[in-house]
Amino acid sequence: MNGYLKVENSPKLHGDMSLIGAKNAVLVIMASLILTDGKSTLKNVPCSDDVMQMINLLRELGAEVSFDQDEHVLLVDTTFIRKYQVKKEIMKRMRASILVMGPLLVRFKKADIALPGGCVIGARPINFHLKNLRKLGATIQIEGEYLFAKVEKLIPQRIVLEYPSVGATENVLMAALGAKGITTIINAALEPEVLDLIRVLQKMDAAIQIEGPATIIVEGGKVLKPVEYEVMHDRLEAGSLIVATAVTGGSITLSQAPAFMMDVFLMKLQEMGHNIEIGSDGIGVSLKATRYPKAVSFKTAPYPGFPTDLQAPMMVAQCLASGRAVIDEAVFENRLLHVQELQKMGAQIKVDGNRATVTGVDQLYGAPVIATDIRAGCALLIAGLCAKGITTLSGVHHLSRGYESIQTKLSKMGASIEYVESAVFDRHEKDCTKEYY
Ligand code: EPZ
C-alpha cells in the first residue's frame, strides 16, 4: 500500500458493528492443520495480510488452499504437504510462521526454517520454544539465520514455562501431540486464542485438558483428523472499535464481542466513566461514552490481565481524559513507540523505561504520524479521529496486517478517513521509519 490515511476529526462515532475472526487465533489454527491429512474448512477467517502470508506458507509446503474472502471461508487440503522447509522471506515477513515448527516436527520429524527475528516492539526471542522442543526430544541446530530441527521420537514430558508465552505454549502443545503418552505444560499461556486452538485440536480428536492453575495436559500419539471450525471473534478488533467510540464521545454495539474475555479492559473503561453493558452469557458489548472521562492507570500482563495489544489504543483514551494515567507495558520491552507520534499531536506523555505517564489535555492536533506496528497504527488512527485538523497516517501496511480494513468499519460509524495513494509519501515514510528499525 503506497499511500497514507488522511484522518479528520470525527465526533460521536456510532453504530451496531459486526466483528471479524481473531488474527491471533486463525494463524495458529492454520498452522495446526499441518497435523492432519485431508480437507479442513475454517469459517470466520479475516482477510488480513497476515492470513494471506500464512496461506502462502501452507501452499509453499504443498497444501491446496482456497479462500472465499466474501464468505470468510478458508478450505485447506493438507494431503499433499511434502515439504518441511520454510523460506527466510516468509519467516521474516511474519513472526507467526514460527508456529509451524511444532506441527512439522510431528508430521516429518524435521523442520528447516529461518529464525523469525525481532520486530519494533521487542527482540522477541524464541528461546522458550527451542528449550522445550528440545525437552520433547528434538535436536535443533542454528546456523546463521537458519534453524534445523529434527527428532527421532517425540517424548512426553513435564514442561515448565518460565513465562506464559503464547507462542511457546502453542508450539510445544502441538509438538506434544506427536509424543505418545502424557505431556504436562505448567505455567502455560491461556489466552483466548490459545483456548480456540485447543478447541480445534480437540475437534481433530486430540486428547487435551486444561487444569488450574495454567496447566495443559496433552495425551499425544493419536491420529488427528481434518476439521470444520468457526474461528472466534476478535477481542482486539472489538477493543479497538470500542476505544475509537469512547474517545469520540459516541456509542457502539458489538453483539458478537466476547466480553467474558475482556474483563480488565472493560472494567478500566467503566472506571473512566463510560457506560458499558454486557450481553447475556458474556457475549455482546455496548458502550455509551461519557462526556467527562477520567484517566485510569493500567499495567499490561498475560491473559486474563490487561492485553498488551490494547495498550496503545487505550493510551489514546487517557490523552484526553482528566487527570493522570500511569501505563506500564510489562509484556514487550519496546512497545511505547506510538508515544513519540502522539506527542507530535500534542499529547502530554512522559516515558521512563516501559512506563508512560499521561497527563490529560483538552485537545489533540492533527499531524503527520507513522505507524510502527499493528496496534500503534490503530492507536494513531483513533487519535486522528479526535484531533483538531488533519492527521496523515503512514505505515498503513501495519494496519492491514492485523485488521480487515478497520478504516472502512470506522467510516461506516461516521469517521472521516480517506486513503490517499502516494509514492512520494511512501518515500517520505521510508525515510522517517528508518529511525525505528
Ligand atoms: C502473541 O505473540 C501475539 N501474536 C501477539 O500479538 C501478542 O502481543 C502476544 O502473544 C502477547 O499476548 C500472535 O499470536 C501471532 P509471547 P507471541 O510469546 O507469541 C517473550 C499483535 O499485535 N518471549 O507471549 O510472540 C517475548 O519477547 C501481536 O497481534 C521470550 O522471551 O508472544 C515477549 O516479551 C503482537 N522468549 C513475551 O515473552 C520466547 O521464547 C511475550 O511473548 C517467547 C517469548
Side-chain angles (χ1 to χ4, degrees), residues 236-304:
L236 304 173
E237 185 200 26
S240 306
L241 293 172
I242 290 170
V243 171
T245 308
V247 296
T248 59
S251 61
I252 188 170
T253 297
L254 298 169
S255 53
Q256 301 156 319
F260 68 96
M261 300 171 183
M262 306 169 71
D263 289 307
V264 178
F265 167 72
L266 295 173
M267 177 182 75
K268 286 290 164 186
L269 284 168
Q270 278 169 324
E271 285 175 10
M272 290 186 74
H274 296 296
N275 180 310
I276 298 223
E277 281 174 27
I278 308 285
S280 57
D281 306 331
I283 304 288
V285 175
S286 293
L287 170 134
K288 277 197 180 44
T290 172
R291 291 182 55 201
Y292 310 104
K294 293 189 294 291
V296 294
S297 300
F298 58 93
K299 179 175 185 171
T300 65
Y303 186 83

Coordinates of all heavy atoms in Angstrom, one line a residue, residues 236-304:
L236 N -9.6 -8.1 20.1 CA -8.7 -7.0 19.9 C -9.3 -6.0 18.9 O -9.2 -4.8 19.1 CB -7.3 -7.4 19.4 CG -6.7 -8.5 20.4 CD1 -5.4 -9.0 19.8 CD2 -6.4 -7.9 21.7
E237 N -10.0 -6.5 17.9 CA -10.7 -5.6 17.0 C -11.9 -5.0 17.8 O -12.1 -3.7 17.7 CB -11.3 -6.3 15.8 CG -11.9 -5.4 14.8 CD -12.9 -6.0 13.8 OE1 -13.5 -7.0 14.1 OE2 -13.1 -5.4 12.7
A238 N -12.6 -5.8 18.6 CA -13.7 -5.2 19.4 C -13.2 -4.1 20.3 O -13.7 -3.0 20.3 CB -14.3 -6.4 20.3
G239 N -12.0 -4.4 21.0 CA -11.5 -3.4 21.9 C -11.1 -2.1 21.2 O -11.3 -1.0 21.6
S240 N -10.5 -2.2 20.0 CA -10.1 -1.1 19.2 C -11.3 -0.2 18.8 O -11.3 1.0 18.9 CB -9.3 -1.5 17.9 OG -8.3 -2.4 18.3
L241 N -12.4 -0.9 18.3 CA -13.6 -0.1 17.9 C -14.2 0.5 19.1 O -14.7 1.7 19.0 CB -14.6 -1.1 17.3 CG -14.2 -1.7 15.9 CD1 -15.2 -2.8 15.5 CD2 -14.1 -0.6 14.8
I242 N -14.2 -0.1 20.3 CA -14.8 0.4 21.5 C -14.0 1.7 21.9 O -14.6 2.7 22.3 CB -14.8 -0.6 22.6 CG1 -15.9 -1.7 22.3 CG2 -15.2 0.0 24.0 CD1 -15.8 -2.9 23.2
V243 N -12.7 1.6 21.9 CA -11.9 2.8 22.3 C -12.2 4.0 21.3 O -12.3 5.1 21.7 CB -10.4 2.5 22.3 CG1 -9.6 3.8 22.5 CG2 -10.1 1.5 23.5
A244 N -12.2 3.7 20.0 CA -12.5 4.7 19.0 C -13.8 5.4 19.3 O -13.9 6.6 19.2 CB -12.5 4.1 17.6
T245 N -14.8 4.6 19.7 CA -16.1 5.2 20.0 C -16.0 6.0 21.3 O -16.6 7.2 21.4 CB -17.1 4.1 20.2 OG1 -17.1 3.2 19.1 CG2 -18.5 4.6 20.4
A246 N -15.3 5.5 22.3 CA -15.2 6.2 23.6 C -14.6 7.6 23.4 O -15.1 8.6 23.9 CB -14.4 5.3 24.6
V247 N -13.4 7.6 22.7 CA -12.7 8.9 22.6 C -13.4 9.9 21.7 O -13.1 11.1 21.8 CB -11.3 8.7 22.0 CG1 -10.4 7.9 22.9 CG2 -11.3 8.2 20.6
T248 N -14.4 9.5 20.9 CA -15.1 10.5 20.1 C -16.5 10.8 20.7 O -17.3 11.5 20.1 CB -15.3 9.9 18.6 OG1 -16.1 8.7 18.7 CG2 -14.0 9.7 17.9
G249 N -16.7 10.2 21.9 CA -18.0 10.6 22.6 C -19.2 9.9 22.0 O -20.3 10.5 22.0
G250 N -19.0 8.7 21.4 CA -20.1 8.1 20.7 C -20.8 6.9 21.4 O -20.7 6.8 22.6
S251 N -21.4 6.1 20.6 CA -22.0 4.8 21.1 C -21.9 3.7 20.2 O -21.9 3.9 18.9 CB -23.5 5.1 21.4 OG -24.1 5.4 20.2
I252 N -21.7 2.5 20.7 CA -21.5 1.4 19.8 C -22.1 0.1 20.4 O -22.2 0.0 21.6 CB -19.9 1.1 19.5 CG1 -19.7 0.0 18.5 CG2 -19.2 0.7 20.8 CD1 -18.3 -0.1 18.0
T253 N -22.5 -0.8 19.5 CA -23.0 -2.1 20.0 C -22.2 -3.1 19.1 O -22.2 -3.0 17.9 CB -24.5 -2.3 19.8 OG1 -25.2 -1.3 20.6 CG2 -24.9 -3.7 20.1
L254 N -21.6 -4.1 19.8 CA -20.9 -5.2 19.2 C -21.5 -6.5 19.7 O -21.1 -7.0 20.8 CB -19.4 -5.1 19.5 CG -18.7 -3.9 19.0 CD1 -17.3 -3.9 19.7 CD2 -18.5 -3.9 17.5
S255 N -22.6 -7.0 19.1 CA -23.3 -8.1 19.6 C -22.5 -9.4 19.6 O -22.8 -10.3 20.4 CB -24.6 -8.3 18.9 OG -24.3 -8.4 17.5
Q256 N -21.4 -9.5 18.8 CA -20.6 -10.7 18.8 C -19.4 -10.6 19.7 O -18.6 -11.6 19.9 CB -20.1 -10.9 17.4 CG -21.2 -11.1 16.4 CD -20.6 -10.8 15.0 OE1 -19.9 -9.8 14.8 NE2 -21.0 -11.6 14.0
A257 N -19.2 -9.4 20.4 CA -17.9 -9.3 21.2 C -17.9 -10.3 22.3 O -18.8 -10.4 23.1 CB -17.9 -7.8 21.7
P258 N -16.7 -11.0 22.5 CA -16.6 -11.9 23.6 C -16.2 -11.2 24.9 O -15.1 -11.2 25.4 CB -15.4 -12.8 23.1 CG -14.6 -11.9 22.2 CD -15.5 -10.9 21.6
A259 N -17.2 -10.5 25.4 CA -17.0 -9.6 26.6 C -16.4 -10.4 27.8 O -15.5 -9.9 28.5 CB -18.3 -9.0 27.1
F260 N -16.7 -11.7 27.9 CA -16.2 -12.5 29.0 C -14.7 -12.7 28.9 O -14.0 -13.2 29.8 CB -17.0 -13.8 29.1 CG -16.7 -14.8 28.0 CD1 -15.8 -15.8 28.1 CD2 -17.4 -14.6 26.8 CE1 -15.5 -16.6 27.0 CE2 -17.1 -15.5 25.7 CZ -16.2 -16.5 25.8
M261 N -14.1 -12.4 27.8 CA -12.7 -12.4 27.6 C -12.0 -11.1 27.7 O -10.8 -10.9 27.5 CB -12.3 -12.9 26.2 CG -12.8 -14.2 25.8 SD -12.6 -14.5 24.0 CE -13.3 -16.1 23.8
M262 N -12.8 -10.1 28.0 CA -12.3 -8.7 28.0 C -12.5 -8.0 29.3 O -12.6 -6.7 29.4 CB -13.0 -7.9 26.9 CG -12.9 -8.6 25.5 SD -14.0 -7.8 24.3 CE -13.2 -6.3 24.0
D263 N -12.5 -8.7 30.4 CA -12.9 -8.1 31.7 C -12.1 -6.9 32.2 O -12.7 -5.9 32.5 CB -12.9 -9.2 32.8 CG -14.0 -10.2 32.6 OD1 -15.2 -9.8 32.5 OD2 -13.7 -11.4 32.5
V264 N -10.8 -7.1 32.2 CA -10.0 -6.0 32.8 C -10.1 -4.7 31.9 O -10.2 -3.6 32.4 CB -8.5 -6.4 32.9 CG1 -7.7 -5.3 33.5 CG2 -8.4 -7.6 33.9
F265 N -10.1 -5.0 30.6 CA -10.2 -3.8 29.7 C -11.5 -3.1 29.9 O -11.5 -1.9 30.0 CB -10.0 -4.4 28.2 CG -10.4 -3.4 27.1 CD1 -9.6 -2.4 26.8 CD2 -11.6 -3.6 26.4 CE1 -10.0 -1.5 25.8 CE2 -12.0 -2.7 25.4 CZ -11.2 -1.7 25.1
L266 N -12.6 -3.8 29.9 CA -13.9 -3.2 30.1 C -14.0 -2.5 31.4 O -14.6 -1.4 31.6 CB -15.0 -4.2 29.8 CG -15.1 -4.8 28.4 CD1 -16.1 -5.9 28.3 CD2 -15.4 -3.7 27.4
M267 N -13.4 -3.2 32.5 CA -13.5 -2.6 33.8 C -12.8 -1.2 33.8 O -13.3 -0.2 34.4 CB -12.8 -3.5 34.8 CG -12.7 -3.0 36.2 SD -11.9 -4.1 37.3 CE -10.1 -3.8 36.8
K268 N -11.7 -1.1 33.1 CA -10.9 0.2 33.0 C -11.8 1.2 32.3 O -11.8 2.4 32.7 CB -9.6 -0.1 32.3 CG -8.6 -0.8 33.2 CD -8.1 0.1 34.3 CE -7.4 -0.6 35.4 NZ -7.1 0.2 36.6
L269 N -12.5 0.8 31.3 CA -13.3 1.8 30.6 C -14.5 2.3 31.5 O -14.8 3.5 31.5 CB -13.9 1.2 29.3 CG -12.9 1.1 28.2 CD1 -13.5 0.2 27.1 CD2 -12.6 2.5 27.6
Q270 N -15.0 1.4 32.3 CA -16.1 1.8 33.3 C -15.5 2.7 34.3 O -16.1 3.7 34.7 CB -16.6 0.5 33.9 CG -17.7 -0.2 33.1 CD -18.1 -1.5 33.6 OE1 -17.3 -2.3 34.1 NE2 -19.4 -1.9 33.4
E271 N -14.2 2.4 34.8 CA -13.6 3.3 35.8 C -13.4 4.7 35.2 O -13.4 5.7 35.9 CB -12.2 2.7 36.2 CG -12.4 1.5 37.1 CD -11.0 0.9 37.4 OE1 -9.9 1.5 37.1 OE2 -11.0 -0.2 38.0
M272 N -13.3 4.8 33.8 CA -13.1 6.1 33.2 C -14.5 6.8 33.2 O -14.5 8.0 33.0 CB -12.6 5.9 31.8 CG -11.2 5.5 31.6 SD -10.7 5.5 29.9 CE -10.5 7.3 29.6
G273 N -15.5 6.1 33.5 CA -16.9 6.7 33.5 C -17.7 6.4 32.3 O -18.9 6.8 32.2
H274 N -17.2 5.5 31.4 CA -18.0 5.2 30.2 C -19.1 4.2 30.7 O -18.9 3.3 31.6 CB -17.2 4.6 29.1 CG -16.2 5.5 28.6 ND1 -16.5 6.7 27.9 CD2 -14.8 5.5 28.6 CE1 -15.5 7.3 27.6 NE2 -14.4 6.7 28.0
N275 N -20.3 4.3 30.0 CA -21.4 3.3 30.3 C -21.2 2.1 29.5 O -21.3 2.2 28.2 CB -22.7 4.1 30.0 CG -23.9 3.2 30.4 OD1 -23.9 2.0 29.9 ND2 -24.8 3.7 31.2
I276 N -21.1 1.0 30.1 CA -20.9 -0.3 29.4 C -21.9 -1.3 29.8 O -22.3 -1.5 30.9 CB -19.5 -0.9 29.7 CG1 -18.4 0.1 29.3 CG2 -19.3 -2.2 29.1 CD1 -17.2 -0.4 28.6
E277 N -22.5 -1.9 28.8 CA -23.5 -3.0 29.0 C -23.0 -4.3 28.4 O -22.4 -4.3 27.2 CB -24.9 -2.7 28.5 CG -25.6 -1.7 29.5 CD -26.9 -1.2 28.8 OE1 -27.5 -2.0 28.0 OE2 -27.3 -0.1 29.2
I278 N -23.1 -5.4 29.1 CA -22.6 -6.7 28.6 C -23.8 -7.6 28.3 O -24.8 -7.6 29.1 CB -21.8 -7.4 29.7 CG1 -20.7 -6.5 30.2 CG2 -21.2 -8.7 29.2 CD1 -19.5 -6.3 29.3
G279 N -23.8 -8.3 27.2 CA -24.9 -9.2 26.8 C -25.0 -10.4 27.7 O -24.1 -10.7 28.5
S280 N -26.0 -11.1 27.5 CA -26.2 -12.3 28.3 C -25.1 -13.3 28.0 O -24.6 -13.3 26.9 CB -27.6 -12.9 28.1 OG -27.7 -13.3 26.7
D281 N -24.7 -14.1 28.9 CA -23.7 -15.1 28.8 C -22.3 -14.5 28.4 O -21.4 -15.1 27.9 CB -24.0 -16.2 27.7 CG -25.3 -16.9 28.0 OD1 -25.7 -16.9 29.2 OD2 -26.0 -17.2 27.0
G282 N -22.2 -13.2 28.6 CA -20.9 -12.5 28.4 C -20.6 -12.3 26.9 O -19.5 -12.0 26.5
I283 N -21.6 -12.4 26.1 CA -21.5 -12.2 24.6 C -22.2 -10.9 24.3 O -23.4 -10.7 24.6 CB -22.0 -13.3 23.8 CG1 -21.4 -14.6 24.1 CG2 -21.8 -13.0 22.3 CD1 -19.9 -14.8 23.7
G284 N -21.4 -10.0 23.7 CA -22.0 -8.7 23.3 C -21.6 -7.6 24.3 O -21.6 -7.8 25.5
V285 N -21.3 -6.4 23.7 CA -20.9 -5.2 24.5 C -21.5 -4.0 23.8 O -21.5 -3.9 22.6 CB -19.3 -5.0 24.5 CG1 -19.0 -3.7 25.2 CG2 -18.6 -6.2 25.1
S286 N -22.1 -3.1 24.7 CA -22.5 -1.8 24.2 C -21.8 -0.8 25.0 O -21.6 -1.0 26.2 CB -24.0 -1.6 24.3 OG -24.7 -2.5 23.5
L287 N -21.4 0.3 24.4 CA -20.8 1.4 25.1 C -21.4 2.7 24.7 O -21.7 3.0 23.6 CB -19.3 1.5 24.8 CG -18.6 2.8 25.4 CD1 -17.3 2.5 26.0 CD2 -18.3 3.8 24.2
K288 N -21.7 3.5 25.8 CA -22.1 4.9 25.6 C -21.1 5.7 26.2 O -20.8 5.6 27.5 CB -23.5 5.2 26.2 CG -24.7 4.8 25.3 CD -26.0 5.4 25.8 CE -27.2 5.0 25.0 NZ -27.2 3.6 24.6
A289 N -20.4 6.6 25.5 CA -19.3 7.3 26.1 C -19.7 8.4 27.0 O -20.8 9.0 26.9 CB -18.5 8.0 24.9
T290 N -18.9 8.6 28.1 CA -19.2 9.7 29.0 C -18.6 11.0 28.4 O -17.6 10.9 27.6 CB -18.5 9.5 30.4 OG1 -18.6 10.7 31.1 CG2 -17.0 9.2 30.2
R291 N -19.1 12.1 28.7 CA -18.6 13.4 28.2 C -17.4 13.8 29.1 O -16.6 14.7 28.6 CB -19.7 14.5 28.3 CG -20.8 14.2 27.2 CD -21.8 15.3 27.2 NE -21.2 16.6 27.0 CZ -21.8 17.7 27.3 NH1 -23.0 17.7 27.9 NH2 -21.2 18.9 27.1
Y292 N -17.2 13.2 30.3 CA -16.2 13.7 31.2 C -15.3 12.5 31.6 O -15.3 12.1 32.8 CB -16.8 14.4 32.4 CG -17.7 15.5 32.0 CD1 -19.1 15.3 32.1 CD2 -17.3 16.7 31.4 CE1 -20.0 16.3 31.7 CE2 -18.1 17.6 31.0 CZ -19.5 17.4 31.1 OH -20.4 18.4 30.7
P293 N -14.5 11.9 30.6 CA -13.7 10.7 31.0 C -12.7 11.0 32.0 O -12.0 12.1 32.0 CB -13.1 10.3 29.7 CG -13.2 11.5 28.8 CD -14.3 12.3 29.3
K294 N -12.5 10.1 33.0 CA -11.4 10.2 34.0 C -10.3 9.3 33.6 O -10.5 8.2 33.1 CB -11.9 9.8 35.4 CG -13.0 10.7 35.9 CD -13.3 10.3 37.4 CE -14.0 8.9 37.6 NZ -15.3 8.8 37.0
A295 N -9.0 9.8 33.8 CA -7.9 9.0 33.4 C -7.7 7.8 34.4 O -8.0 7.9 35.6 CB -6.6 9.8 33.5
V296 N -7.3 6.6 33.9 CA -7.1 5.5 34.7 C -5.7 4.9 34.3 O -5.3 5.0 33.2 CB -8.2 4.4 34.5 CG1 -9.5 4.8 35.0 CG2 -8.2 3.9 33.0
S297 N -5.1 4.3 35.3 CA -3.8 3.6 35.1 C -4.0 2.1 34.9 O -5.0 1.6 35.3 CB -2.9 3.9 36.4 OG -2.7 5.3 36.5
F298 N -3.1 1.5 34.2 CA -3.1 0.1 34.0 C -1.8 -0.5 33.6 O -0.8 0.3 33.3 CB -4.2 -0.3 32.9 CG -3.9 0.3 31.6 CD1 -3.2 -0.4 30.6 CD2 -4.4 1.6 31.2 CE1 -2.9 0.2 29.4 CE2 -4.2 2.2 30.0 CZ -3.4 1.5 29.0
K299 N -1.6 -1.8 33.8 CA -0.4 -2.5 33.5 C -0.7 -3.7 32.7 O -1.6 -4.4 33.0 CB 0.3 -2.9 34.8 CG 1.6 -3.6 34.7 CD 2.2 -3.9 36.1 CE 3.6 -4.5 35.9 NZ 4.3 -4.6 37.2
T300 N 0.0 -3.8 31.6 CA -0.3 -5.0 30.7 C 0.3 -6.3 31.3 O 1.2 -6.2 32.1 CB 0.4 -4.8 29.3 OG1 1.8 -4.8 29.4 CG2 -0.1 -3.5 28.6
A301 N -0.4 -7.4 31.0 CA 0.0 -8.7 31.6 C -0.5 -9.8 30.7 O -1.4 -9.6 29.9 CB -0.6 -8.8 33.0
P302 N 0.0 -11.0 30.9 CA -0.6 -12.2 30.2 C -2.1 -12.3 30.6 O -2.5 -11.8 31.7 CB 0.2 -13.4 30.7 CG 1.5 -12.8 31.2 CD 1.1 -11.4 31.7
Y303 N -2.9 -12.9 29.7 CA -4.3 -13.1 30.0 C -4.5 -13.8 31.3 O -3.7 -14.7 31.7 CB -4.9 -14.0 28.9 CG -6.4 -14.1 29.0 CD1 -7.2 -13.1 28.5 CD2 -7.0 -15.2 29.6 CE1 -8.6 -13.2 28.6 CE2 -8.4 -15.3 29.7 CZ -9.2 -14.3 29.2 OH -10.5 -14.4 29.3
P304 N -5.5 -13.5 32.2 CA -6.6 -12.5 31.9 C -6.2 -11.1 32.3 O -7.2 -10.3 32.5 CB -7.7 -13.1 32.8 CG -6.9 -13.7 34.0 CD -5.7 -14.2 33.4

